[in-house]
Amino acid sequence: MGAFILFPGALLIAQSGSGDTTSADQAGPAFEVATIRQANRGDGRHWFGTKLDNSDRFQTSAMSLTGLVYEAYMIPPAQNKVEIDHGVPDWVNSVEYDITAKIENSYMKDWDRLSYEQRMNVIRPMLQALLAERFHLRLRTEDRMTPVYVLVQAKGGAHVKEVSAPEPVKGDEEEAQKRWADEHPNGVYPGVIMCTGEKCIAHAVKISTSIGQISANAHSDRMVIDETGLKGYYDFSIPYPDKADEFPMHTVEEALGMKFESRSVPIQTYVIVSAEKPAMDGVDNPPPTR
């Protein structure tokens, strides 16, 4: 298995709301321009998810519309999910997109002083408007009883090390990562999880925003909810069993000093009611109509 890096904010979980919702007719902030292209994972790219650094660009790499809804509507640490309504075509889950969007200067006051999550709070309304305008996205919200795993600390406490929060990136994040890698050739960039063929190593991550990657590597068939009570930033590692490209849940439990409890709970669900594939002409497109 090659190395996989989860960028900060690559998987987010969500805010509350109810009833039908759409951004199409809402006045509010919008990107200055945005380009949407269908992704090709075979083009040698090295990152997936979202990127929002010190520049005026918001980018996504190989994200489905379902994943984009997560980014647009979901604010951690609340626990929510996205599903598709009957009759909605499966491309909303299977087709992946790259987005590059420019942020207007008026929204970038003190940008270099903001954390990733504070920047996302500025970006989310813009992304909601973009999805409504370009994908003609319509959503509704409802509570659904859902089987989940709840992650809690095991007897004796968690096997994780609390560390300082990552410093906000100054300048281009990709360049900052390259500089950091040159200075720390055997290290893991702060705020990410890196998985190789031997183990997954996390450095300075929050448990609430990393359990998605943990459960994905464990091939969990359920949403995992964080009830560990761990609110800081942590280092930890999870080994892969010999000749395996995933780890069973009991390996996660042993490595982290935690356990998965099976429960059924009401989960607020964002349901995709309808959507259309966006036009992709290879040039910048105007911002959403207000």
Side-chain angles (χ1 to χ4, degrees):
M1 175 186 293
F4 175 84
I5 297 178
L6 173 69
F7 280 79
L11 180 62
L12 300 177
I13 43 183
Q15 68 184 14
S16 61
S18 61
D20 292 318
T21 178
T22 178
S23 304
D25 300 321
Q26 296 177 0
F31 293 116
E32 186 173 324
V33 290
T35 298
I36 302 177
R37 295 186 175 92
Q38 189 166 327
N40 173 16
R41 283 182 177 253
D43 61 5
R45 67 186 64 206
H46 299 290
W47 67 277
F48 303 88
T50 63
K51 186 182 292 187
L52 182 58
D53 54 29
N54 206 42
S55 72
D56 62 356
R57 292 291 192 273
F58 169 75
Q59 297 174 271
T60 75
S61 173
M63 293 191 68
S64 68
L65 178 57
T66 301
L68 292 169
V69 173
Y70 270 101
E71 292 292 347
Y73 286 90
M74 301 196 172
I75 302 173
Q79 307 288 335
N80 301 80
K81 62 179 180 175
V82 178
E83 293 188 357
I84 62 175
D85 208 359
H86 297 296
V88 175
D90 187 60
W91 68 261
V92 301
N93 288 323
S94 60
V95 178
E96 297 177 325
Y97 297 95
D98 297 337
I99 297 176
T100 300
K102 185 179 184 301
I103 307 162
E104 292 182 12
N105 290 338
S106 59
Y107 295 110
M108 297 196 66
K109 180 177 174 59
D110 297 324
W111 196 251
D112 60 344
R113 300 181 182 179
L114 301 182
S115 68
Y116 185 91
E117 190 54 41
Q118 288 171 325
R119 292 172 182 174
M120 280 303 302
N121 288 337
V122 177
I123 290 298
R124 285 189 184 98
M126 302 180 190
L127 184 54
Q128 291 172 16
L130 182 67
L131 297 183
E133 178 73 10
R134 298 292 303 281
F135 289 85
H136 295 208
L137 173 68
R138 289 185 59 246
L139 303 170
R140 73 168 184 270
T141 56
E142 59 185 60
D143 287 339
R144 294 186 176 183
M145 291 301 296
T146 305
V148 301
Y149 290 117
V150 176
L151 188 65
V152 299
Q153 294 192 50
K155 185 177 181 180
H159 304 160
V160 295
K161 178 184 178 182
E162 187 165 8
V163 296
S164 300
E167 294 290 332
V169 174
K170 295 182 178 180
D172 181 81
E173 184 173 25
E174 189 169 352
E175 290 300 321
Q177 290 192 23
K178 290 179 181 177
R179 290 194 301 270
W180 194 94
D182 290 339
E183 297 171 3
H184 307 82
N186 298 316
V188 178
Y189 188 75
V192 306
I193 301 175
M194 184 172 70
C195 296
T196 67
E198 298 180 353
K199 58 187 174 180
C200 285
I201 306 173
H203 177 39
V205 302
K206 296 181 74 67
I207 299 298
S208 60
T209 55
S210 61
I211 56 176
Q213 176 64 10
I214 295 170
S215 60
N217 277 271
H219 282 210
S220 170
D221 59 349
R222 300 183 183 183
M223 174 187 294
V224 179
I225 295 176
D226 173 29
E227 289 191 6
T228 61
L230 299 171
K231 304 300 183 183
Y233 293 83
Y234 302 91
D235 288 357
F236 58 81
S237 65
I238 305 172
Y240 286 101
D242 290 342
K243 299 180 180 179
D245 60 359
E246 61 184 69
F247 34 68
M249 296 180 73
H250 70 80
T251 299
V252 179
E253 293 176 323
E254 293 167 2
L256 300 186
M258 302 179 189
K259 60 181 180 179
F260 294 94
E261 295 182 349
S262 181
R263 301 182 193 172
S264 186
V265 299
I267 296 292
Q268 187 186 52
T269 303
Y270 283 79
V271 182
I272 298 177
V273 176
S274 63
E276 299 176 13
K277 289 184 177 180
M280 289 172 287
D281 54 10
V283 298
D284 283 347
N285 293 277
T289 304
R290 305 194 182 188

